[in-house]
Amino acid sequence: MQETQIIREPIAYEKVPTRIFSNSEEASKAVANEIAELIKTKQKAGQKAVLGLATGSSPKTVYAELIRMHKEEGLSFKNVISFNLDEYYPMQPDAIQSYWRFMKEQLFDHVDIEPGNFYIPDGTVSPSMLAQHCQDYEKKIKEAGGLDFQLLGIGGNGHIGFNEPGSLENTKTRLMMLDQSTRVAAKSDFGGELTKVPKKAITLGVAKILQAKRIVLLAWGERKAPMICNAVEGTVSAQNPSSYLQKHANALFVIDEAAASGLKRMKTPWLVEDVKWTNSMTKKAVTGLSIGLGKSVLKLTNEDYNDNGLSDLLASHGNAYDINIDIFNQLQRTITGWPGGKPDADDTHRPERALPKKKKCLIFSPHPDDDIISMGGTFQRLVDQGHDVHVAYQTSGNIAVSDEEAHRFLEFVVDYNSGFNVENKETLETYKEAIDYLNNKKDSELDSPTVRLVKGIIRKGEAKATCRLVGIPPENVHFLDMPFYETGRVQKNPLGKADVKIVSALIEELKPHQIYAAGDLADPHGTHKVCLDAIFESLKELRHKNYMKDCWVWLYRGAWAEWDIHEIEMAVPMSPHQVMQKRMGIFKHQSQKDGVVFQGADSREFWQRAEERNQATAKLYNDLGLAEYEAMEAFVRYHF
Ligand code: F6R
């Protein structure tokens, strides 16, 4: 592994070696390097390299780097034998969701591995042959000489392979009932319909995984943080199968900063090593101390600092009161009911500048509902306070509409047309065909262009309804339909020049004073990240333009998580009435209610998540000793 890419070394009380990288791309390169070195070493010795491979979103970047090495550096896979961890059961190999198809698309079709040299559990084997199939799979691994290297992801519930919580250390390769949380997380791969997610999977057993000579577990994003923390710092338990890696002599967790966010060295680094007391670090320590002790910031004493490992911070300031008042004031100054700046107010103590009084604000929303979910209260305030607010929906969001929802709308079109004797027979036929298509759609098929169009129109209509409710005119609503998104499947294309061009064109046209964008880190390979990268790229291109000098960029978080309290630079309070108004705005997105496609492992609906999150932020401020609000939306300023 390339040590230079590692931001911190492993530390003593972590029970399994853990390396934290600033992002998943860097981390994946390091892991791909290690795999490539293994392949090459074995090649030189005239031996096979036996790899255990995983599917899921986490290893994709590793596979992409291996493909690059094959194409650009001549890395050969001729001596590789691979065994995949798992496969849904039952599952046809050509189905979109099959791990067979995943591995072919993500790796095997792009490298020179011999066709007979990769093995994936067979999702078509008959129930009576399953036990034999599992035994044979283990036997084949043994005959190949055992796994030299096992790559793992980790489930939100701690599973490795599909060894769900409760799996014992000695479990063999077997058929496993999938946890409800695993099935819910997989729902988006199955058109959003939980009933279509298989209930079972064949998985390599924990025992076989632990027999690998080397194990590397990958985890990206905040969603993985609780289980990572438990596996790295907690005790070994069947409730978190990834914790078994503590018992392995040569295992490594390779994680990004977001997945590491629960670890002590990230949460309370001053307890682990010498830190530089920057303002941000001080804020983190003081707010953490306050929350940890259940005392407001202004009540913290010298003893509180000394007793909790913050004596050097205390010594550098002289006394608790000075630190407390400084941090309290900083927190206070983040709160504003004027997200577009308070007219005629003194700017020194406010997050936004007062001038110009009427600002042009551009809200970028990756999907058609992120604006209202993540910053609906602020959106409403900006409009109410007279700013010229525009919203740009970056993607069509069409894959997040269920087939059933599309069916309902298609039927409406057909019935409407016949009810009102609309003549255009050709159009009618197209919609009837689309209904037929949905009725007969197989698991291996993507949506037809008509179905995708209909799904996109449904989401467009919902976004327009939200904008009407908030009160912006139709000409301020922009649908960008960024092309990277239009694959018809969960897997999107990488960001392209055409995407950035569309974003730049709108910024150029509007010349906004404020840009709001989704700075979502929870889903590093998802649409939000690509949408944010497109904005960053565009800002880079446009930064020398005159109007950009007067443009401030505010980042809000996506549906999953909120900024840490020490990071927040603008907190916009909401009254109970405003919370209700925001809820109504979210309700406009009916295709995203009651069984949403991209539910994740969280069973709450989006309006519930948003409300609970905004209320939690308000409570946090109140617990720190600031005024008590009903709810708050939070932002961080991006300096480009
Ligand atoms: C995949 C597998 C699973 C995944 C895990 C994480 O072969 O065995 O354990 O690694 O569910 O999935 P992602 O990486 O999609 O979060």
Side-chain angles (χ1 to χ4, degrees):
M1 293 239 158
Q2 293 182 2
E3 299 291 323
T4 49
Q5 289 167 324
I6 295 157
I7 63 163
R8 284 193 193 98
E9 282 305 303
I11 46 170
Y13 62 81
E14 287 176 5
K15 296 172 182 164
V16 58
T18 302
R19 291 186 174 163
I20 304 170
F21 287 76
S22 50
N23 59 58
S24 56
E25 282 81 15
E26 291 303 314
S28 301
K29 278 185 196 157
V31 175
N33 269 335
E34 181 175 332
I35 297 174
E37 284 312 311
L38 171 71
I39 296 174
K40 285 190 248 174
T41 309
K42 290 278 181 181
Q43 248 158 26
K44 275 190 204 134
Q47 294 169 354
K48 301 274 185 210
V50 187
L51 306 181
L53 299 178
T55 56
S57 61
S58 311
K60 282 183 186 170
T61 31
V62 174
Y63 298 149
E65 177 62 8
L66 287 172
I67 293 171
R68 191 201 62 75
M69 287 172 157
H70 168 70
K71 294 200 167 137
E72 293 175 16
E73 296 167 13
L75 175 68
S76 171
F77 286 72
K78 289 259 186 236
N79 68 324
V80 169
I81 300 192
S82 77
F83 292 90
N84 261 78
L85 278 169
D86 38 25
E87 176 61 288
Y88 290 115
Y89 186 81
M91 181 56 65
Q92 292 299 321
D94 67 341
I96 305 177
Q97 303 86 0
S98 93
Y99 287 170
W100 174 267
R101 186 159 165 174
F102 176 100
M103 287 309 298
K104 299 260 298 165
E105 288 178 357
Q106 298 294 327
L107 183 64
F108 300 149
D109 282 351
H110 312 281
V111 296
D112 60 347
I113 190 166
E114 300 289 349
N117 277 359
F118 52 87
Y119 298 92
I120 296 169
D122 184 355
T124 66
V125 82
S126 69
S128 60
M129 292 307 291
L130 250 170
Q132 188 61 49
H133 178 65
C134 293
Q135 273 178 29
D136 291 348
Y137 201 73
E138 290 208 356
K139 206 165 137 218
K140 260 184 250 157
I141 297 178
K142 199 169 169 200
E143 283 165 6
L147 298 167
D148 293 313
F149 182 102
Q150 176 66 61
L151 189 64
L152 293 178
I154 174 173
N157 60 2
H159 72 214
I160 48 175
F162 276 134
N163 294 288
E164 300 285 26
S167 297
L168 298 177
E169 200 183 332
N170 60 2
T171 49
K172 295 218 159 66
T173 300
R174 67 205 183 288
L175 189 66
M176 180 90 213
M177 287 301 287
L178 293 176
D179 257 23
Q180 181 70 355
S181 68
T182 300
R183 293 184 65 235
V184 171
K187 222 172 70 165
S188 54
D189 292 333
F190 291 84
E193 291 177 55
L194 191 58
T195 49
K196 287 196 176 162
V197 183
K199 293 200 171 69
K200 298 173 190 167
I202 304 170
T203 182
L204 201 65
V206 176
K208 207 62 195 168
I209 293 175
L210 292 178
Q211 278 167 19
K213 296 177 191 90
R214 166 75 162 163
I215 305 179
V216 172
L217 182 146
L218 314 170
W220 325 132
E222 264 160 310
R223 273 183 295 151
K224 301 289 170 74
M227 277 301 154
I228 289 293
C229 179
N230 180 281
V232 173
E233 293 179 354
T235 47
V236 177
S237 148
Q239 286 318 305
N240 179 358
S242 67
S243 66
Y244 289 131
L245 267 60
Q246 287 183 17
K247 294 189 155 190
H248 193 275
N250 193 17
L252 174 70
F253 278 44
V254 174
I255 59 182
D256 67 1
E257 283 185 353
S261 58
L263 297 180
K264 282 200 183 72
R265 64 166 138 161
M266 300 298 273
K267 279 192 115 156
T268 50
W270 47 89
L271 297 181
V272 177
E273 59 194 355
D274 284 341
V275 296
K276 212 167 153 236
W277 286 110
T278 58
N279 188 50
S280 163
M281 189 66 84
T282 306
K283 220 169 158 188
K284 184 176 167 112
V286 176
T287 50
L289 185 64
S290 164
I291 298 300
L293 296 180
K295 267 182 173 186
S296 72
V297 169
L298 292 175
K299 284 189 184 167
L300 296 172
T301 63
N302 287 355
E303 289 70 32
D304 291 333
Y305 281 84
N306 277 338
D307 292 351
N308 290 282
L310 292 167
S311 53
D312 56 337
L313 175 64
L314 182 65
S316 69
H317 283 69
N319 67 66
Y321 184 78
D322 287 344
I323 314 175
N324 296 350
I325 202 86
D326 177 29
I327 298 301
F328 179 86
N329 284 338
Q330 287 191 40
L331 289 167
Q332 177 73 45
R333 285 173 203 151
T334 60
I335 303 173
T336 182
W338 300 85
K342 186 168 185 183
D344 307 321
D346 172 6
D347 277 351
T348 39
H349 295 329
R350 301 198 167 268
E352 248 297 348
R353 69 237 128 111
L355 295 176
K357 272 188 189 169
K358 179 172 171 166
K359 292 193 174 63
K360 190 168 271 187
C361 312
L362 172 56
I363 300 173
F364 280 107
S365 180
H367 297 100
D369 54 357
D370 291 308
D371 53 344
I372 189 76
I373 290 174
S374 300
M375 54 167 292
T378 307
F379 183 5
Q380 188 70 62
R381 272 189 192 259
L382 289 169
V383 174
D384 293 348
Q385 290 166 2
H387 300 288
D388 182 17
V389 183
H390 290 248
V391 186
Y393 297 103
Q394 292 180 271
T395 68
S396 69
N398 58 15
I399 61 158
V401 176
S402 69
D403 289 348
E404 170 51 29
E405 190 79 0
H407 198 138
R408 222 156 51 86
F409 277 83
L410 279 161
E411 219 154 51
F412 174 84
V413 176
V414 173
D415 291 348
Y416 177 94
N417 280 307
S418 59
F420 288 93
N421 292 323
V422 176
E423 282 298 292
N424 193 337
K425 286 225 170 66
E426 221 174 284
T427 316
L428 203 55
E429 278 315 306
T430 312
Y431 285 101
K432 276 187 183 155
E433 273 166 27
I435 292 178
D436 279 351
Y437 182 86
L438 282 178
N439 281 334
N440 299 307
K441 190 174 147 188
K442 293 200 197 80
D443 282 349
S444 55
E445 279 173 330
L446 299 176
D447 282 342
S448 68
T450 312
V451 173
R452 266 162 59 195
L453 185 69
V454 170
K455 289 185 173 180
I457 295 173
I458 292 172
R459 297 213 71 182
K460 229 177 230 179
E462 294 169 345
K464 284 182 187 170
T466 297
C467 290
R468 259 197 311 278
L469 182 81
V470 177
I472 63 170
E475 61 274 19
N476 285 19
V477 186
H478 309 265
F479 292 98
L480 304 188
D481 289 328
M482 286 168 62
F484 86 91
Y485 183 88
E486 296 305 318
T487 58
R489 52 193 300 185
V490 175
Q491 170 92 12
K492 307 295 184 312
N493 290 326
L495 181 68
K497 284 205 172 83
D499 300 298
V500 181
K501 207 170 152 195
I502 293 172
V503 171
S504 296
L506 186 67
I507 297 178
E508 275 275 61
E509 181 196 327
L510 297 177
K511 303 186 177 38
H513 301 104
Q514 280 194 326
I515 287 177
Y516 290 88
D520 205 324
L521 307 173
D523 183 15
H525 298 298
T527 297
H528 285 214
K529 171 79 164 47
V530 183
C531 287
L532 185 63
D533 286 346
I535 297 171
F536 285 170
E537 275 301 307
S538 154
L539 293 175
K540 226 196 275 169
E541 276 174 14
L542 301 173
R543 71 182 186 282
H544 298 302
K545 303 268 176 176
N546 248 344
Y547 65 88
M548 285 310 271
K549 296 195 181 77
D550 202 22
C551 177
W552 286 25
V553 178
W554 291 102
L555 301 178
Y556 61 86
R557 294 298 290 272
W560 315 100
E562 188 53 279
W563 299 109
D564 268 354
I565 184 76
H566 74 281
E567 296 170 310
I568 297 173
E569 289 175 270
M570 178 161 77
V572 181
M574 295 157 79
S575 68
H577 171 76
Q578 287 165 330
V579 170
M580 202 49 81
Q581 173 80 355
K582 171 168 170 172
R583 189 190 293 182
M584 293 305 140
I586 299 175
F587 280 177
K588 297 292 174 200
H589 294 270
Q590 286 177 0
S591 71
Q592 303 305 299
K593 277 183 96 304
D594 309 328
V596 44
V597 179
F598 287 99
Q599 182 86 40
D602 187 335
S603 60
R604 292 170 303 165
E605 291 210 1
F606 286 122
W607 66 271
Q608 290 171 311
R609 291 184 211 183
E611 263 172 45
E612 283 171 25
R613 179 173 112 185
N614 295 157
Q615 278 158 352
T617 307
K619 180 166 184 313
L620 203 53
Y621 267 86
N622 188 227
D623 290 347
L624 292 168
L626 292 112
E628 184 179 8
Y629 292 99
E630 174 68 13
M632 276 175 161
E633 289 173 344
F635 302 86
V636 164
R637 191 169 161 208
Y638 174 70
H639 298 268
F640 55 97

